[in-house]
Amino acid sequence: MGTATLTKDPYNLIITGVGGQGNVLASRVLGNLLADQGFSITIGETFGASQRGGSVMSHMRISAGESWSPQIPQGQADMVVALEPIEALRVLHTYGHPGVKVISNTRSIYPVGVISGDNKYPSMDELKTIIEDLTESVWFINATDAAMKLGNPIFGNIMMVGALAKTGVLPIDRDGFEKVMLRTMGEKKTPVNLKAFDMGAEMIT
């Protein structure tokens, strides 16, 4: 066990998004980062009706001691990392409480009901107001547009990991991230992921 500590034990983190955004990979990277420091990590994942375009949610329970059940109880999320803004709102409805923190990507992905004209997607201003009212702290970052500068919107998930590191709510850092990347992605893919991590961190002010 390392010397890093948690602000709360277990620390309950939810990563949410839609299929195709790299939600599961982000949870695996974070899990490896924290496990390397000796923490006990439990991850539970739920998928929407379709894997691509449907809701995807990873529950992470991080503890210095015992292993916890993978499902975070309702109203007990400590941090929500949302790859899509309406998914942040969906998660907060069930797992939020006044002390929860949120990092949300601002790029919307319209569900079928919106594309077909049956439903209306809220404006980003409307979403920001609602999410701010439901949280203690929230950071909105345009990870998808930044990821496009690296050639692929999928890097948005790693940018969110970098943003999470910068908030300081969990004991994760760039050196630990690099070790995980080298072990899981290899030397060829590590530099671009490090760049994505750094770009995400720079968006947290």
Side-chain angles (χ1 to χ4, degrees):
M1 183 71 193
T3 57
T5 59
L6 299 169
T7 56
K8 176 178 170 290
D9 198 333
Y11 193 88
N12 297 322
L13 168 71
I14 294 178
I15 302 176
T16 185
V18 300
Q21 287 192 292
N23 192 101
V24 174
L25 176 61
S27 70
R28 294 291 187 270
V29 169
L30 273 175
N32 284 326
L33 263 168
L34 291 158
D36 282 353
Q37 299 184 59
F39 292 110
S40 174
I41 311 297
T42 309
I43 300 176
E45 286 155 351
T46 64
F47 297 86
S50 62
Q51 289 196 0
R52 181 164 292 278
S55 297
V56 181
M57 181 167 50
S58 298
H59 287 213
M60 295 186 65
R61 310 199 75 186
I62 305 148
S63 175
E66 59 188 299
S67 296
W68 294 76
S69 69
Q71 184 76 27
I72 294 172
Q74 292 189 6
Q76 294 191 29
D78 298 304
M79 167 63 84
V80 176
V81 176
L83 303 177
E84 204 281 338
I86 203 77
E87 296 300 325
L89 194 54
R90 192 193 309 274
V91 166
L92 287 172
H93 175 73
T94 303
Y95 298 98
H97 60 88
V100 69
K101 296 178 171 61
V102 171
I103 304 171
S104 178
N105 188 15
T106 56
R107 172 66 72 89
S108 301
I109 297 178
Y110 293 156
V112 172
V114 172
I115 295 171
S116 65
D118 292 333
N119 299 312
K120 179 180 178 294
Y121 194 100
S123 72
M124 195 60 226
D125 285 343
E126 290 173 319
L127 281 172
K128 284 182 175 179
T129 298
I130 297 169
I131 292 172
E132 285 168 352
D133 285 345
L134 293 173
T135 56
E136 178 183 280
S137 301
V138 58
W139 297 267
F140 294 102
I141 65 173
N142 195 337
T144 301
D145 281 4
M148 291 296 289
K149 295 175 182 176
L150 294 180
N152 192 329
I154 195 64
F155 289 117
N157 64 346
I158 297 300
M159 289 186 181
M160 300 299 281
V161 173
L164 177 64
K166 182 65 180 297
T167 66
V169 301
L170 284 171
I172 54 178
D173 59 27
R174 189 180 192 274
D175 288 344
F177 174 78
E178 183 175 15
K179 290 176 183 174
V180 169
M181 284 294 103
L182 287 170
R183 188 170 71 234
T184 58
M185 296 286 187
E187 292 186 3
K188 186 175 181 180
K189 293 183 178 178
T190 293
V192 68
N193 280 283
L194 274 174
K195 180 64 176 174
F197 182 95
D198 290 341
M199 290 172 71
E202 289 167 1
M203 285 187 275
I204 296 295
T205 56

